[in-house]
């Protein structure tokens, strides 16, 4: 076995299966590189090591490599997150209520929220939509996979409990309903409870799309009119792909734009590290791009994307709300992402969750997910 500093072995109650567990991925680097999927950049060492160095506030990590007959055969990625519900909810109750019943109800809700704090063991990645928590090779034995996931979760929870961080709940995130039916059934037999989430929205990039005009040609006339209207409103926007140095120079403004979007959500579990974007660029190089939008010399929006082999992942963005409506910035960002996916010859463009209606208007279709 390679030297795994700070790592230790945990036996699983399944014949010839063990975990090598560590609180930092550096302690598992050699094993992780052997067992991680070659086709998924966001479960590979480089991205996860970067995120560990620049984490969202209140987030810690655990890593496990699955060993079978002394060979690394899979990886399991965990985030340990302190969730304070009161902090995560963006309250709109800024004006005092004129109704005593409503005021009393709000007071009770706030009293309960102040006590709603949990340590979650998350199998997966809160920053991403999709199954980025477990890779067990190309096995099709979903019953065995369910047992391996369950016993690994229990082992990891014991490790964390021993560190003095009591876990309140385990969350396994983002299983595609049409791909993992048997796995879901077997996990439910282990007392997991499945619940629905907003679907992941993605655009399948058709093989005959060589440019944006080909994409437009497949639209109905109604949606082509919408594209032309949005492009006309956005004609004064100048788009620039920022270098690492430019991202570092503009990072405070970029974070301000990102945070404006995050603060506008009804519920926001975490905030990115202020230096996340420059760290991601430093780590992934040309496989990560940040496109900035300017009105004159004013930075009014940005979007990020990750080239994840045959997929293009639309990552975080930021928009100055004061200019969004007049210049249709958000809608133009979606069209620009489609154009980038076509140029990259990607198999599909992953739009993640939220804003389902406007994303469907540009050709995105839902992939139903459960947690």
């Amino acid at each position: 076995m390679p030297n795994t500093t700070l790592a230790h072995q945990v036996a699983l109650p399944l014949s010839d299966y063990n975990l090598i567990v560590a609180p930092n991925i550096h302690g598992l680097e050699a094993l992780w590189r052997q067992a991680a999927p070659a086709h998924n950049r966001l479960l590979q060492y480089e991205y996860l090591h970067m995120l560990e160095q620049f984490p969202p506030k209140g987030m810690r990590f655990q890593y496990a490599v699955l060993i079978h007959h002394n060979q690394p055969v899979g990886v399991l990625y965990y985030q340990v997150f302190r969730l304070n519900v009161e902090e995560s909810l963006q309250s709109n109750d800024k004006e005092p209520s004129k109704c005593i019943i409503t005021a009393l109800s709000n007071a009770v809700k706030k009293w309960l929220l102040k006590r709603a704090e949990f340590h979650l063991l998350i199998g997966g990645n809160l920053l991403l939509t999709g199954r980025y928590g477990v890779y067990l090779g190309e096995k099709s034995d979903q019953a065995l996979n369910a047992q391996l996931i369950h016993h690994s979760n229990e082992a990891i929870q014991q490790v964390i409990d021993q560190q003095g961080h009591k876990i309140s709940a385990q969350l396994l995130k983002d299983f595609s309903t049409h791909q993992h039916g048997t796995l879901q059934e077997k996990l439910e037999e282990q007392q997991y409870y499945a619940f629905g989430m907003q679907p992941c929205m993605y655009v399948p990039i058709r093989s005959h799309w060589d440019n944006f005009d080909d994409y437009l040609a497949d639209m109905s006339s109604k949606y082509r009119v919408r594209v032309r209207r949005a492009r006309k409103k956005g004609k004064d926007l100048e788009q620039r792909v920022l270098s690492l140095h430019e991202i570092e120079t503009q990072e405070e403004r970029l974070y301000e734009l990102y945070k404006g979007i995050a603060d506008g959500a009804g519920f926001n579990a975490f905030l990115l590290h202020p230096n996340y974007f420059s760290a991601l660029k430093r780590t992934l190089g040309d496989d990560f791009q940040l496109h900035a939008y300017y009105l004159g010399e004013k930075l009014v929006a940005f979007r990020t994307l990750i080239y994840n082999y045959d997929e293009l992942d639309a990552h975080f963005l930021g928009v100055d709300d004061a200019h969004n409506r007049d210049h249709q910035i958000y809608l133009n960002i979606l069209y620009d992402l489609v154009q980038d996916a076509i140029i990259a010859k990607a198999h599909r463009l992953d739009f993640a969750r939220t804003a389902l209606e406007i994303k469907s208007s540009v050709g995105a279709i839902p992939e139903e997910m459960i947690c």
Side-chain angles (χ1 to χ4, degrees), residues 137-188:
E138 304 303 327
K139 294 178 181 291
S140 58
D141 188 342
Q142 299 289 46
L144 174 60
N145 286 350
Q147 290 187 65
L148 289 169
I149 292 170
H150 168 63
H151 290 305
S152 297
N153 293 347
E154 295 300 302
I156 292 292
Q157 175 157 339
Q158 277 195 335
V159 169
I160 296 167
D161 286 347
Q162 289 166 5
Q163 296 170 352
H165 301 282
K166 186 67 177 176
I167 296 296
S168 301
Q170 296 177 8
L171 171 64
L172 308 179
K173 68 183 296 284
D174 294 345
F175 292 82
S176 172
T177 55
H178 73 273
Q179 291 179 335
H180 299 107
T182 303
L183 181 64
Q184 176 187 340
E185 293 168 6
K186 295 300 179 182
L187 285 171
E188 288 176 340

Side-chain angles (χ1 to χ4, degrees), residues 251-297:
E251 197 135 42
E252 186 174 340
R253 174 58 174 165
L254 293 169
Y255 194 75
E256 179 184 13
L257 291 169
Y258 151 73
K259 197 168 181 298
I261 295 292
D263 288 346
F267 183 89
N268 189 46
F270 67 89
L271 285 173
L272 294 174
H273 190 284
N275 302 118
Y276 176 79
F277 298 115
S278 60
L280 190 53
K281 181 64 176 177
R282 200 175 298 115
T283 299
L284 296 185
D286 291 341
D287 290 325
F288 169 77
Q289 286 188 1
L290 189 150
H291 295 240
Y293 293 79
Y294 291 84
L295 284 172
E297 289 303 311

Side-chain angles (χ1 to χ4, degrees), residues 37-44 128-129 132 284 287-288 305-314 344 346-348 350:
H39 55 276
N40 189 337
R41 198 176 306 286
L42 300 173
L43 253 180
Q44 292 170 3
L128 305 169
T129 298
Y132 295 106
L284 296 185
D287 290 325
F288 169 77
L305 53 91
I306 295 173
Y307 292 92
N308 193 11
Y309 299 97
D310 64 344
E311 287 192 7
L312 188 66
D313 291 323
H347 173 66
R348 75 180 212 170
D350 189 340

